[in-house]
Amino acid sequence: MDGHEKVLVIDFGGQYNQLIARRVREHNIYCEVVPYKTPIEKIKAENPKGIIFTGGPASVYLDSSPHISKEIFELGVPILGICYGAQLMVYTLGGVIGKANDNSLAEFGRTECDFDNSCALFNGLKERSVVWMSHNDYIEQLPEGFRAAAHSAKCPYGAIENPEKKFYATQFHPEVNHTEQGFEMLGKFLFDVCGCKGDWTMSSYAQTAIEEIRTKVGDGKVLLALSGGVDSSVACALLSKAVGNQLTCVFVDHGFMRKNEGDEVEKAFADWDVNFVRVNAGERFIAKLSGISEPEQKRKLIGEEFIRLFEEEAKKIGKVDFLVQGTIYPDVIESGTGDAAVIKSHHNVGGLPDYVDFKEIIEPLRLLFKDEVRKLGTELGLADYLVWRQPFPGPGLAIRIIGEITREKLSILQDADLIFREEIVNAGLDRDINQYFAVLTDMRSVGVMGDGRTYDYTLALRAVTTSDFMTADFARIPYDVLEKASVRIVNEVGHINRVCYDITSKPPATIEWE
Ligand code: XMP
């Protein structure tokens, strides 16, 4: 983002690297995460207002651990080192890092810390509060020009500073919520030390992005695969403001949307200045999936059919110049680590470029975190329903019907899922639970209804809290809310006589059942 003040987060492999970047942005300051191997010239060319070193799992004394050139300390840019980043700063500038072999000086978890308020990081904050520690090694001897600025019972150098050079370092993690005044401390570094003003707002982002897109696209044709999810909807809104009806949105409705959802998506974009093409392909998909019950096969067939349909529509439009992708910043940061085992082959539009004839890709959200994408959507005037939509898998309800899919099962699940969602909203829990839905199992059991025997399906309810969807916990929904949902479902939806609540976390389970 040219023209905005920028902070660089140098990534040494810590588990909180993205969180640091998000916290900086929550202070309305644009920041980017860059690998520690980034050449100094490149860092310099970015003209950062400040630099933050993340934590990391390593010990500075290992040859294999990430190091950084001393030159970074000669750029005249303020630096904040966090945890491993703090130790690396000390080590690189000639101090000594001790190894807590006997664990006597290691600290993990919530720790009381005393701060020296004359240090710019803690100026005006409480003198004592809880911080989040997570370290084995510790700072033993300071480099020249540094002094202690905070300590805990075990750790004499909880934070250190060299105010003259504007180098600061904390052994604890200010970016996590468990550090009571952590957000304020980051703010002190960004505003008081680095002199940032906070010019990163979604309205300024929207303006700049719209201008950039206009310049890039000129009078070219743009194509976007709209799923109705948050990312593609916000991308659509942004492109619509930028290039109006030069944009064609293709919404392939595979028929596995939640109840009424296809119509809602269409309605949401009815007043926007775009060419909106809806392909109602429910029959085609259900025929394709007839007799298929293996989850991976379902996913693959849906993915392939989706691409085929999209391609057919694209051909009707003719050659397009630009294809829009809804890539967001966490995907950008995480890209390149492609050696993880395939648990589920995710269906999304990532594979489209091979199939569609186009000149260039536009990724208008590639700098944004999910919460920023939502803010941007609101800024652009998108309906709340779309902006706050919970994640929905590409293959839709097809992977929430265990076993073979039939029209009847689809309709049972749509009705039951709607009731569960309504009850979560009625209980005011919809923004606290990150994802909630119903799953139709292929198990039948005996029940009794109106004095008669039933032999019907078991429905599972799934609701999770998570920040990144990589790990998740089952949501602690009050029993009376579960009861209301259960009673309504067995009474209002035919062929369900038993409702279960899934109380597994991820891992070992996954969020979806297939
Ligand atoms: P799992 O089931 O792997 O899901 O724990 C993690 C998150 O990803 C969503 N999900 C998908 N999203 N295409 C998507 O775009 C897919 O094929 C897909 N499968 C799962 C899931 O809903 C959850 O939010």
Side-chain angles (χ1 to χ4, degrees), residues 299 343-349 390-396 399-400 434-435 437 462 464 466 468-472 506 509-514:
R299 283 174 170 275
I343 308 293
K344 296 175 188 183
S345 53
H346 274 205
H347 155 104
N348 50 36
V349 292
Q390 54 173 313
F392 188 60
I399 55 156
R400 293 180 181 168
N434 303 96
Q435 200 171 2
F437 54 87
R462 181 74 163 140
V464 296
T466 171
D468 55 8
F469 297 89
M470 311 281 281
T471 60
K506 171 185 178 179
T510 52
I511 296 175
E512 303 287 347
W513 277 36
E514 286 197 337

Side-chain angles (χ1 to χ4, degrees), residues 410-430:
L410 184 59
S411 149
I412 293 173
L413 180 59
Q414 281 176 331
D415 290 342
D417 180 71
L418 180 65
I419 293 174
F420 182 42
R421 286 187 290 127
E422 279 173 1
E423 289 308 324
I424 293 290
V425 172
N426 290 345
L429 296 173
D430 50 320

Side-chain angles (χ1 to χ4, degrees), residues 12 52-62 65-68 73 79-101 105-108 132-143 146 155-161 167-173:
F12 292 100
I52 300 179
F53 292 174
T54 73
S59 164
V60 289
Y61 291 115
L62 294 176
S65 57
H67 287 95
I68 195 147
F73 297 99
I79 302 180
L80 171 66
I82 297 176
C83 196
Y84 177 80
Q87 295 171 7
L88 190 68
M89 180 187 284
V90 167
Y91 173 79
T92 314
L93 293 175
V96 178
I97 299 303
K99 287 185 104 29
N101 289 329
L105 291 168
E107 291 172 297
F108 292 96
W132 185 257
M133 292 281 195
S134 180
H135 67 103
N136 271 310
D137 290 1
Y138 59 94
I139 300 169
E140 191 172 291
Q141 204 179 307
L142 298 183
F146 278 79
C155 183
Y157 300 121
I160 58 171
E161 64 167 349
F167 298 153
Y168 294 81
T170 63
Q171 184 57 73
F172 58 85
H173 289 271

